[in-house]
Amino acid sequence: MSNEHPSAPEAGEAAPARQGIQSVELAMTVLLALEEGRGPMSLTQIAAAAGMQPSKAHRYLVSLARVGLVAQSPSSGRYDMGPAMRRLGVESLRRMDEVALVSEHLTGLRDRTTHAVNLAVWGDHGPVVVRWEYGAHALPITVRVGATMPLLTSAMGGAFLAHLPEQITEPALCGQLQTEQLDAATRETVARIRDEVRREGVATTAGGVIPGVTSLAAPVFTAGDSFPLVVTLVMPARGITEQDLPRLAAELLNSTRAMSEMLGHST
């Protein structure tokens, strides 16, 4: 018997791809076709979406049905997600710690931009900072973890105003402004912020909370009905040019979209 072991790849040489089971990967294309169909589908529709011949798709559907991952309606003959798939989805959501998963990606965003990054969740009285990663640039002051941020003047507040229902944000905003109801001017300001953030994809503030600091914020969406999280880039206004902001906003959006996809959000 030979005692030789597979040699490690030399410097600059790509590691060999790990072997997998192709039939499992093909079965997954059938399940993804069902997911993207957003409802019961015929065999012909599934085959077309999966890029398979109907006879081949049918064999996979038979096997998937046997283990409960898909189910076929006795009346219409259409296929949909099965009971085992629903149980897996519920358990996956139960185990998911959204803050922990998103936090793992904050340092990468910080390193790519060199700027501080924070993460906020929605609290009883507005956005609450739950993570802060310091960047390479000194800031006049940083916000402590656990602080509740203003909705109207912070970038993260603008992101929440744009992507949460008014019945959620209005009581918090009334509490922050110490008023029982919003006046016309405030409602106009909220509408302007909401429209601008939805149009641009990011919320931007300059000196809104901390003088001399510019912030860009964007939402991270989840798979279920949970409130979105918000990631914010925080940078000293000095040295940031008009050309820098679009580049940083694009990097932030690329990152938050990847985070949303990781959490199972489907656009």
Side-chain angles (χ1 to χ4, degrees):
M1 180 181 294
S2 171
N3 291 324
E4 293 183 1
H5 296 280
S7 58
E10 296 183 4
E13 181 181 339
R18 292 183 178 181
Q19 284 191 327
I21 301 175
Q22 188 179 31
S23 59
V24 174
E25 296 169 8
L26 289 172
M28 192 61 195
T29 64
V30 174
L31 293 174
L32 290 174
L34 270 173
E35 181 217 352
E36 292 167 2
R38 301 298 181 91
M41 299 172 70
S42 68
L43 171 61
T44 302
Q45 290 173 323
I46 293 171
M52 295 181 182
Q53 292 295 322
S55 59
K56 184 176 182 178
H58 181 259
R59 291 196 297 272
Y60 281 101
L61 287 166
V62 168
S63 293
L64 291 168
R66 285 175 180 168
V67 294
L69 293 176
V70 302
Q72 185 178 23
S73 168
S75 57
S76 68
R78 291 176 175 265
Y79 296 88
D80 205 348
M81 300 293 185
M85 179 62 74
R86 289 190 286 273
R87 290 195 299 271
L88 286 171
V90 170
E91 181 60 16
S92 176
L93 289 173
R94 186 189 70 79
R95 296 186 186 189
M96 185 169 61
D97 184 340
E98 295 160 349
V99 169
L101 288 172
V102 170
S103 295
E104 292 178 0
H105 293 261
L106 296 183
T107 53
L109 177 60
R110 176 202 63 192
D111 294 344
R112 290 190 297 274
T113 62
T114 72
H115 293 296
V117 180
N118 65 50
L119 176 65
V121 301
W122 183 257
D124 292 338
H125 306 292
V128 177
V129 178
V130 294
R131 285 294 300 271
W132 187 288
E133 297 289 344
Y134 292 94
H137 307 275
L139 297 171
I141 189 173
T142 58
V143 178
R144 64 180 176 82
V145 171
T148 298
M149 301 297 287
L151 280 163
L152 288 182
T153 55
S154 70
M156 68 176 65
F160 277 114
L161 284 175
H163 297 287
L164 283 181
E166 289 183 43
Q167 59 264 34
I168 299 296
T169 59
E170 188 164 319
L173 186 53
C174 286
Q176 291 186 359
L177 298 177
Q178 298 183 337
T179 182
E180 291 187 1
Q181 60 182 6
L182 304 181
D183 58 26
T186 302
R187 291 186 183 279
E188 184 177 337
T189 299
V190 170
R192 176 183 56 76
I193 292 172
R194 183 182 298 114
D195 291 344
E196 182 177 293
V197 174
R198 289 177 178 175
R199 182 177 66 252
E200 301 295 332
V202 299
T204 305
T205 59
V209 178
I210 304 173
V213 168
T214 295
S215 299
L216 300 172
V220 176
F221 298 104
T222 64
D225 296 327
S226 301
F227 294 159
L229 312 175
V230 171
V231 175
T232 306
L233 275 175
V234 185
M235 62 207 79
R238 179 180 297 178
I240 297 296
T241 68
E242 291 186 2
Q243 290 73 34
D244 291 326
L245 287 178
R247 174 182 57 82
L248 293 168
E251 182 63 47
L252 174 62
L253 282 174
N254 287 336
S255 298
T256 53
R257 285 167 184 157
M259 295 174 192
S260 297
E261 184 177 344
M262 175 193 63
L263 294 181
H265 176 70
S266 179
T267 56

Tab-separated table of all heavy atoms in Angstrom, residues 152-208:
chain	number	residue	atom	x	y	z
A	152	LEU	N	-34.647	61.905	13.123
A	152	LEU	CA	-34.651	62.931	12.085
A	152	LEU	C	-33.256	63.382	11.667
A	152	LEU	O	-33.066	63.803	10.527
A	152	LEU	CB	-35.438	64.156	12.565
A	152	LEU	CG	-36.951	64.007	12.663
A	152	LEU	CD1	-37.575	65.320	13.115
A	152	LEU	CD2	-37.552	63.568	11.335
A	153	THR	N	-32.276	63.277	12.549
A	153	THR	CA	-30.973	63.874	12.240
A	153	THR	C	-29.844	62.862	12.064
A	153	THR	O	-28.732	63.256	11.723
A	153	THR	CB	-30.567	64.871	13.353
A	153	THR	OG1	-30.588	64.205	14.622
A	153	THR	CG2	-31.522	66.052	13.384
A	154	SER	N	-30.097	61.580	12.272
A	154	SER	CA	-29.053	60.577	12.066
A	154	SER	C	-29.314	59.812	10.775
A	154	SER	O	-30.464	59.647	10.353
A	154	SER	CB	-29.003	59.596	13.244
A	154	SER	OG	-30.142	58.755	13.264
A	155	ALA	N	-28.238	59.340	10.161
A	155	ALA	CA	-28.385	58.568	8.929
A	155	ALA	C	-29.132	57.261	9.192
A	155	ALA	O	-30.014	56.866	8.429
A	155	ALA	CB	-27.016	58.292	8.315
A	156	MET	N	-28.796	56.600	10.306
A	156	MET	CA	-29.498	55.348	10.598
A	156	MET	C	-30.979	55.602	10.866
A	156	MET	O	-31.837	54.796	10.501
A	156	MET	CB	-28.842	54.608	11.773
A	156	MET	CG	-28.986	55.277	13.113
A	156	MET	SD	-28.290	54.295	14.482
A	156	MET	CE	-26.558	54.290	14.082
A	157	GLY	N	-31.283	56.745	11.485
A	157	GLY	CA	-32.682	57.095	11.694
A	157	GLY	C	-33.414	57.271	10.380
A	157	GLY	O	-34.551	56.815	10.217
A	158	GLY	N	-32.746	57.925	9.416
A	158	GLY	CA	-33.360	58.090	8.104
A	158	GLY	C	-33.629	56.771	7.412
A	158	GLY	O	-34.662	56.591	6.748
A	159	ALA	N	-32.704	55.812	7.571
A	159	ALA	CA	-32.898	54.502	6.958
A	159	ALA	C	-34.100	53.787	7.564
A	159	ALA	O	-34.884	53.141	6.853
A	159	ALA	CB	-31.636	53.661	7.109
A	160	PHE	N	-34.256	53.895	8.884
A	160	PHE	CA	-35.412	53.265	9.522
A	160	PHE	C	-36.711	53.965	9.117
A	160	PHE	O	-37.734	53.312	8.904
A	160	PHE	CB	-35.252	53.277	11.043
A	160	PHE	CG	-34.411	52.151	11.576
A	160	PHE	CD1	-33.186	52.409	12.178
A	160	PHE	CD2	-34.834	50.837	11.476
A	160	PHE	CE1	-32.409	51.373	12.674
A	160	PHE	CE2	-34.052	49.786	11.966
A	160	PHE	CZ	-32.838	50.056	12.567
A	161	LEU	N	-36.697	55.295	9.038
A	161	LEU	CA	-37.900	56.021	8.615
A	161	LEU	C	-38.350	55.579	7.223
A	161	LEU	O	-39.540	55.498	6.941
A	161	LEU	CB	-37.628	57.525	8.611
A	161	LEU	CG	-37.583	58.233	9.959
A	161	LEU	CD1	-37.177	59.697	9.772
A	161	LEU	CD2	-38.937	58.148	10.670
A	162	ALA	N	-37.366	55.279	6.361
A	162	ALA	CA	-37.691	54.921	4.983
A	162	ALA	C	-38.214	53.503	4.856
A	162	ALA	O	-38.952	53.207	3.908
A	162	ALA	CB	-36.455	55.091	4.097
A	163	HIS	N	-37.852	52.616	5.791
A	163	HIS	CA	-38.153	51.202	5.584
A	163	HIS	C	-38.984	50.558	6.682
A	163	HIS	O	-39.202	49.341	6.641
A	163	HIS	CB	-36.843	50.432	5.402
A	163	HIS	CG	-36.082	50.851	4.185
A	163	HIS	ND1	-36.476	50.533	2.904
A	163	HIS	CD2	-34.948	51.611	4.044
A	163	HIS	CE1	-35.633	51.038	2.032
A	163	HIS	NE2	-34.700	51.701	2.693
A	164	LEU	N	-39.471	51.351	7.627
A	164	LEU	CA	-40.412	50.836	8.612
A	164	LEU	C	-41.758	51.519	8.434
A	164	LEU	O	-41.825	52.669	8.004
A	164	LEU	CB	-39.895	51.101	10.036
A	164	LEU	CG	-38.788	50.195	10.571
A	164	LEU	CD1	-38.425	50.607	11.994
A	164	LEU	CD2	-39.208	48.733	10.543
A	165	PRO	N	-42.854	50.860	8.774
A	165	PRO	CA	-44.185	51.491	8.656
A	165	PRO	C	-44.295	52.705	9.579
A	165	PRO	O	-43.690	52.750	10.656
A	165	PRO	CB	-45.135	50.372	9.101
A	165	PRO	CG	-44.364	49.105	8.999
A	165	PRO	CD	-42.932	49.466	9.248
A	166	GLU	N	-45.095	53.667	9.143
A	166	GLU	CA	-45.273	54.883	9.945
A	166	GLU	C	-45.852	54.579	11.322
A	166	GLU	O	-45.531	55.275	12.291
A	166	GLU	CB	-46.180	55.865	9.202
A	166	GLU	CG	-45.532	56.498	7.987
A	166	GLU	CD	-46.446	57.523	7.337
A	166	GLU	OE1	-47.074	58.302	8.076
A	166	GLU	OE2	-46.542	57.527	6.097
A	167	GLN	N	-46.710	53.549	11.422
A	167	GLN	CA	-47.302	53.247	12.728
A	167	GLN	C	-46.265	52.750	13.726
A	167	GLN	O	-46.498	52.766	14.932
A	167	GLN	CB	-48.433	52.218	12.602
A	167	GLN	CG	-48.035	50.884	12.000
A	167	GLN	CD	-48.312	50.822	10.516
A	167	GLN	OE1	-48.191	51.834	9.819
A	167	GLN	NE2	-48.732	49.648	10.030
A	168	ILE	N	-45.091	52.333	13.212
A	168	ILE	CA	-43.997	51.933	14.089
A	168	ILE	C	-43.111	53.129	14.437
A	168	ILE	O	-42.731	53.335	15.592
A	168	ILE	CB	-43.138	50.833	13.424
A	168	ILE	CG1	-43.979	49.585	13.144
A	168	ILE	CG2	-41.921	50.493	14.286
A	168	ILE	CD1	-44.510	48.902	14.367
A	169	THR	N	-42.761	53.935	13.421
A	169	THR	CA	-41.811	55.021	13.651
A	169	THR	C	-42.439	56.256	14.300
A	169	THR	O	-41.761	56.969	15.042
A	169	THR	CB	-41.157	55.446	12.319
A	169	THR	OG1	-42.173	55.865	11.391
A	169	THR	CG2	-40.381	54.278	11.716
A	170	GLU	N	-43.721	56.517	14.026
A	170	GLU	CA	-44.312	57.763	14.524
A	170	GLU	C	-44.358	57.846	16.049
A	170	GLU	O	-44.009	58.892	16.618
A	170	GLU	CB	-45.710	57.962	13.932
A	170	GLU	CG	-46.289	59.322	14.270
A	170	GLU	CD	-47.477	59.689	13.407
A	170	GLU	OE1	-47.446	59.432	12.185
A	170	GLU	OE2	-48.448	60.237	13.966
A	171	PRO	N	-44.768	56.781	16.770
A	171	PRO	CA	-44.738	56.902	18.243
A	171	PRO	C	-43.330	57.163	18.783
A	171	PRO	O	-43.168	57.944	19.734
A	171	PRO	CB	-45.266	55.533	18.703
A	171	PRO	CG	-46.077	55.027	17.562
A	171	PRO	CD	-45.368	55.512	16.338
A	172	ALA	N	-42.326	56.512	18.192
A	172	ALA	CA	-40.951	56.743	18.651
A	172	ALA	C	-40.519	58.175	18.366
A	172	ALA	O	-39.858	58.819	19.193
A	172	ALA	CB	-40.001	55.760	17.974
A	173	LEU	N	-40.894	58.678	17.206
A	173	LEU	CA	-40.527	60.045	16.847
A	173	LEU	C	-41.232	61.045	17.754
A	173	LEU	O	-40.621	62.033	18.193
A	173	LEU	CB	-40.884	60.304	15.379
A	173	LEU	CG	-40.450	61.646	14.789
A	173	LEU	CD1	-38.959	61.880	15.010
A	173	LEU	CD2	-40.777	61.698	13.300
A	174	CYS	N	-42.493	60.798	18.065
A	174	CYS	CA	-43.216	61.675	18.997
A	174	CYS	C	-42.522	61.682	20.358
A	174	CYS	O	-42.389	62.732	21.004
A	174	CYS	CB	-44.661	61.223	19.148
A	174	CYS	SG	-45.715	61.596	17.731
A	175	GLY	N	-42.062	60.505	20.801
A	175	GLY	CA	-41.362	60.424	22.072
A	175	GLY	C	-40.061	61.207	22.050
A	175	GLY	O	-39.726	61.901	23.014
A	176	GLN	N	-39.318	61.118	20.941
A	176	GLN	CA	-38.057	61.844	20.840
A	176	GLN	C	-38.270	63.353	20.810
A	176	GLN	O	-37.464	64.119	21.343
A	176	GLN	CB	-37.288	61.389	19.604
A	176	GLN	CG	-36.751	59.969	19.704
A	176	GLN	CD	-35.860	59.600	18.524
A	176	GLN	OE1	-35.645	60.400	17.607
A	176	GLN	NE2	-35.322	58.380	18.540
A	177	LEU	N	-39.358	63.770	20.166
A	177	LEU	CA	-39.646	65.200	20.055
A	177	LEU	C	-40.481	65.720	21.224
A	177	LEU	O	-40.781	66.918	21.279
A	177	LEU	CB	-40.384	65.478	18.735
A	177	LEU	CG	-39.612	65.148	17.459
A	177	LEU	CD1	-40.488	65.394	16.228
A	177	LEU	CD2	-38.338	65.975	17.368
A	178	GLN	N	-40.862	64.812	22.125
A	178	GLN	CA	-41.669	65.151	23.290
A	178	GLN	C	-42.953	65.883	22.900
A	178	GLN	O	-43.263	66.969	23.395
A	178	GLN	CB	-40.847	65.989	24.285
A	178	GLN	CG	-39.633	65.245	24.830
A	178	GLN	CD	-38.864	66.051	25.861
A	178	GLN	OE1	-38.932	67.280	25.890
A	178	GLN	NE2	-38.126	65.363	26.712
A	179	THR	N	-43.666	65.244	22.002
A	179	THR	CA	-44.942	65.787	21.552
A	179	THR	C	-45.942	64.652	21.407
A	179	THR	O	-45.548	63.502	21.203
A	179	THR	CB	-44.791	66.526	20.210
A	179	THR	OG1	-46.043	67.085	19.830
A	179	THR	CG2	-44.315	65.572	19.115
A	180	GLU	N	-47.204	64.971	21.515
A	180	GLU	CA	-48.230	63.935	21.412
A	180	GLU	C	-48.518	63.575	19.966
A	180	GLU	O	-48.933	62.452	19.673
A	180	GLU	CB	-49.519	64.397	22.111
A	180	GLU	CG	-49.376	64.494	23.631
A	180	GLU	CD	-50.689	64.791	24.306
A	180	GLU	OE1	-51.722	64.898	23.593
A	180	GLU	OE2	-50.711	64.914	25.543
A	181	GLN	N	-48.336	64.524	19.069
A	181	GLN	CA	-48.527	64.233	17.651
A	181	GLN	C	-47.619	65.134	16.817
A	181	GLN	O	-47.210	66.200	17.249
A	181	GLN	CB	-49.994	64.416	17.242
A	181	GLN	CG	-50.546	65.807	17.461
A	181	GLN	CD	-52.018	65.892	17.068
A	181	GLN	OE1	-52.634	64.893	16.750
A	181	GLN	NE2	-52.562	67.095	17.100
A	182	LEU	N	-47.295	64.657	15.613
A	182	LEU	CA	-46.376	65.392	14.750
A	182	LEU	C	-47.089	66.534	14.065
A	182	LEU	O	-48.235	66.401	13.614
A	182	LEU	CB	-45.789	64.445	13.696
A	182	LEU	CG	-45.071	63.205	14.222
A	182	LEU	CD1	-44.518	62.393	13.061
A	182	LEU	CD2	-43.956	63.589	15.190
A	183	ASP	N	-46.409	67.671	13.974
A	183	ASP	CA	-47.002	68.801	13.253
A	183	ASP	C	-46.746	68.648	11.755
A	183	ASP	O	-46.016	67.748	11.302
A	183	ASP	CB	-46.460	70.130	13.778
A	183	ASP	CG	-44.940	70.236	13.683
A	183	ASP	OD1	-44.335	69.563	12.812
A	183	ASP	OD2	-44.348	70.998	14.470
A	184	ALA	N	-47.329	69.535	10.983
A	184	ALA	CA	-47.255	69.441	9.518
A	184	ALA	C	-45.821	69.550	9.025
A	184	ALA	O	-45.415	68.842	8.093
A	184	ALA	CB	-48.130	70.524	8.888
A	185	ALA	N	-45.035	70.418	9.630
A	185	ALA	CA	-43.650	70.613	9.185
A	185	ALA	C	-42.833	69.341	9.408
A	185	ALA	O	-42.024	68.961	8.551
A	185	ALA	CB	-43.026	71.783	9.926
A	186	THR	N	-43.039	68.689	10.551
A	186	THR	CA	-42.294	67.458	10.834
A	186	THR	C	-42.714	66.355	9.869
A	186	THR	O	-41.869	65.597	9.372
A	186	THR	CB	-42.520	67.012	12.286
A	186	THR	OG1	-42.119	68.061	13.174
A	186	THR	CG2	-41.711	65.752	12.594
A	187	ARG	N	-44.003	66.242	9.617
A	187	ARG	CA	-44.471	65.220	8.674
A	187	ARG	C	-43.882	65.453	7.279
A	187	ARG	O	-43.530	64.511	6.571
A	187	ARG	CB	-45.999	65.223	8.609
A	187	ARG	CG	-46.659	64.724	9.879
A	187	ARG	CD	-48.167	64.599	9.722
A	187	ARG	NE	-48.791	64.190	10.962
A	187	ARG	CZ	-48.852	62.933	11.409
A	187	ARG	NH1	-48.309	61.968	10.660
A	187	ARG	NH2	-49.431	62.633	12.543
A	188	GLU	N	-43.756	66.717	6.906
A	188	GLU	CA	-43.153	67.039	5.608
A	188	GLU	C	-41.682	66.643	5.584
A	188	GLU	O	-41.184	66.111	4.583
A	188	GLU	CB	-43.314	68.531	5.330
A	188	GLU	CG	-42.805	68.943	3.957
A	188	GLU	CD	-43.054	70.417	3.686
A	188	GLU	OE1	-43.953	71.001	4.318
A	188	GLU	OE2	-42.341	70.984	2.829
A	189	THR	N	-40.990	66.869	6.695
A	189	THR	CA	-39.578	66.480	6.794
A	189	THR	C	-39.434	64.957	6.704
A	189	THR	O	-38.548	64.448	6.003
A	189	THR	CB	-38.967	66.979	8.117
A	189	THR	OG1	-39.045	68.399	8.158
A	189	THR	CG2	-37.525	66.537	8.245
A	190	VAL	N	-40.305	64.241	7.408
A	190	VAL	CA	-40.255	62.772	7.372
A	190	VAL	C	-40.507	62.266	5.959
A	190	VAL	O	-39.805	61.369	5.466
A	190	VAL	CB	-41.278	62.169	8.353
A	190	VAL	CG1	-41.400	60.652	8.144
A	190	VAL	CG2	-40.892	62.477	9.791
A	191	ALA	N	-41.487	62.849	5.279
A	191	ALA	CA	-41.794	62.432	3.909
A	191	ALA	C	-40.621	62.701	2.975
A	191	ALA	O	-40.301	61.876	2.101
A	191	ALA	CB	-43.045	63.153	3.415
A	192	ARG	N	-39.953	63.823	3.174
A	192	ARG	CA	-38.801	64.150	2.333
A	192	ARG	C	-37.664	63.162	2.561
A	192	ARG	O	-37.033	62.676	1.611
A	192	ARG	CB	-38.328	65.578	2.624
A	192	ARG	CG	-37.069	65.980	1.854
A	192	ARG	CD	-36.614	67.376	2.242
A	192	ARG	NE	-36.389	67.520	3.667
A	192	ARG	CZ	-35.320	67.053	4.316
A	192	ARG	NH1	-34.376	66.398	3.646
A	192	ARG	NH2	-35.196	67.246	5.612
A	193	ILE	N	-37.390	62.857	3.839
A	193	ILE	CA	-36.336	61.892	4.161
A	193	ILE	C	-36.671	60.525	3.568
A	193	ILE	O	-35.818	59.869	2.949
A	193	ILE	CB	-36.154	61.771	5.689
A	193	ILE	CG1	-35.581	63.073	6.259
A	193	ILE	CG2	-35.252	60.583	6.040
A	193	ILE	CD1	-35.552	63.119	7.780
A	194	ARG	N	-37.911	60.091	3.742
A	194	ARG	CA	-38.324	58.781	3.243
A	194	ARG	C	-38.153	58.689	1.725
A	194	ARG	O	-37.593	57.714	1.210
A	194	ARG	CB	-39.775	58.511	3.634
A	194	ARG	CG	-40.272	57.126	3.220
A	194	ARG	CD	-41.724	56.923	3.574
A	194	ARG	NE	-41.935	57.013	5.012
A	194	ARG	CZ	-42.630	57.973	5.607
A	194	ARG	NH1	-43.182	58.943	4.897
A	194	ARG	NH2	-42.775	57.981	6.919
A	195	ASP	N	-38.603	59.704	1.022
A	195	ASP	CA	-38.515	59.687	-0.445
A	195	ASP	C	-37.060	59.689	-0.910
A	195	ASP	O	-36.689	58.972	-1.844
A	195	ASP	CB	-39.256	60.889	-1.028
A	195	ASP	CG	-40.762	60.800	-0.840
A	195	ASP	OD1	-41.246	59.690	-0.544
A	195	ASP	OD2	-41.438	61.834	-0.975
A	196	GLU	N	-36.241	60.491	-0.257
A	196	GLU	CA	-34.842	60.611	-0.664
A	196	GLU	C	-34.087	59.305	-0.428
A	196	GLU	O	-33.319	58.850	-1.280
A	196	GLU	CB	-34.180	61.750	0.116
A	196	GLU	CG	-32.731	61.993	-0.257
A	196	GLU	CD	-32.143	63.178	0.496
A	196	GLU	OE1	-32.580	64.316	0.249
A	196	GLU	OE2	-31.273	62.938	1.355
A	197	VAL	N	-34.305	58.692	0.727
A	197	VAL	CA	-33.597	57.449	1.047
A	197	VAL	C	-34.042	56.326	0.121
A	197	VAL	O	-33.219	55.544	-0.366
A	197	VAL	CB	-33.819	57.069	2.525
A	197	VAL	CG1	-33.202	55.701	2.820
A	197	VAL	CG2	-33.222	58.129	3.445
A	198	ARG	N	-35.332	56.238	-0.133
A	198	ARG	CA	-35.818	55.186	-1.036
A	198	ARG	C	-35.291	55.394	-2.455
A	198	ARG	O	-35.017	54.431	-3.168
A	198	ARG	CB	-37.345	55.165	-1.033
A	198	ARG	CG	-37.934	54.645	0.272
A	198	ARG	CD	-39.447	54.707	0.253
A	198	ARG	NE	-40.015	54.169	1.490
A	198	ARG	CZ	-41.311	54.180	1.783
A	198	ARG	NH1	-42.176	54.695	0.920
A	198	ARG	NH2	-41.743	53.681	2.922
A	199	ARG	N	-35.145	56.645	-2.856
A	199	ARG	CA	-34.646	56.931	-4.206
A	199	ARG	C	-33.144	56.640	-4.309
A	199	ARG	O	-32.688	56.034	-5.286
A	199	ARG	CB	-34.915	58.398	-4.554
A	199	ARG	CG	-34.469	58.793	-5.962
A	199	ARG	CD	-34.820	60.224	-6.280
A	199	ARG	NE	-34.094	61.169	-5.447
A	199	ARG	CZ	-34.644	61.885	-4.457
A	199	ARG	NH1	-35.923	61.747	-4.176
A	199	ARG	NH2	-33.913	62.743	-3.749
A	200	GLU	N	-32.378	57.058	-3.327
A	200	GLU	CA	-30.917	56.923	-3.381
A	200	GLU	C	-30.429	55.563	-2.895
A	200	GLU	O	-29.323	55.143	-3.228
A	200	GLU	CB	-30.259	58.026	-2.548
A	200	GLU	CG	-30.601	59.439	-2.994
A	200	GLU	CD	-30.072	59.747	-4.383
A	200	GLU	OE1	-29.050	59.150	-4.782
A	200	GLU	OE2	-30.688	60.592	-5.072
A	201	GLY	N	-31.226	54.904	-2.046
A	201	GLY	CA	-30.802	53.624	-1.487
A	201	GLY	C	-30.070	53.761	-0.172
A	201	GLY	O	-29.957	52.802	0.588
A	202	VAL	N	-29.512	54.950	0.101
A	202	VAL	CA	-28.795	55.203	1.354
A	202	VAL	C	-29.303	56.498	1.970
A	202	VAL	O	-29.813	57.384	1.276
A	202	VAL	CB	-27.265	55.303	1.148
A	202	VAL	CG1	-26.713	54.003	0.589
A	202	VAL	CG2	-26.914	56.465	0.232
A	203	ALA	N	-29.155	56.582	3.292
A	203	ALA	CA	-29.429	57.831	4.003
A	203	ALA	C	-28.099	58.514	4.280
A	203	ALA	O	-27.134	57.861	4.680
A	203	ALA	CB	-30.166	57.550	5.310
A	204	THR	N	-28.042	59.818	4.065
A	204	THR	CA	-26.792	60.572	4.238
A	204	THR	C	-27.031	61.749	5.169
A	204	THR	O	-28.009	62.481	5.012
A	204	THR	CB	-26.285	61.103	2.886
A	204	THR	OG1	-26.153	60.023	1.974
A	204	THR	CG2	-24.943	61.788	3.045
A	205	THR	N	-26.143	61.910	6.151
A	205	THR	CA	-26.182	63.100	6.997
A	205	THR	C	-24.771	63.646	7.157
A	205	THR	O	-23.794	62.898	7.138
A	205	THR	CB	-26.747	62.798	8.404
A	205	THR	OG1	-25.950	61.819	9.048
A	205	THR	CG2	-28.197	62.323	8.318
A	206	ALA	N	-24.681	64.949	7.314
A	206	ALA	CA	-23.398	65.612	7.558
A	206	ALA	C	-23.553	66.485	8.800
A	206	ALA	O	-24.295	67.472	8.771
A	206	ALA	CB	-22.981	66.446	6.361
A	207	GLY	N	-22.917	66.068	9.882
A	207	GLY	CA	-23.007	66.834	11.121
A	207	GLY	C	-24.352	66.769	11.789
A	207	GLY	O	-24.658	67.598	12.655
A	208	GLY	N	-25.174	65.804	11.429
A	208	GLY	CA	-26.514	65.735	12.003
A	208	GLY	C	-26.515	65.425	13.486
A	208	GLY	O	-27.303	65.984	14.249
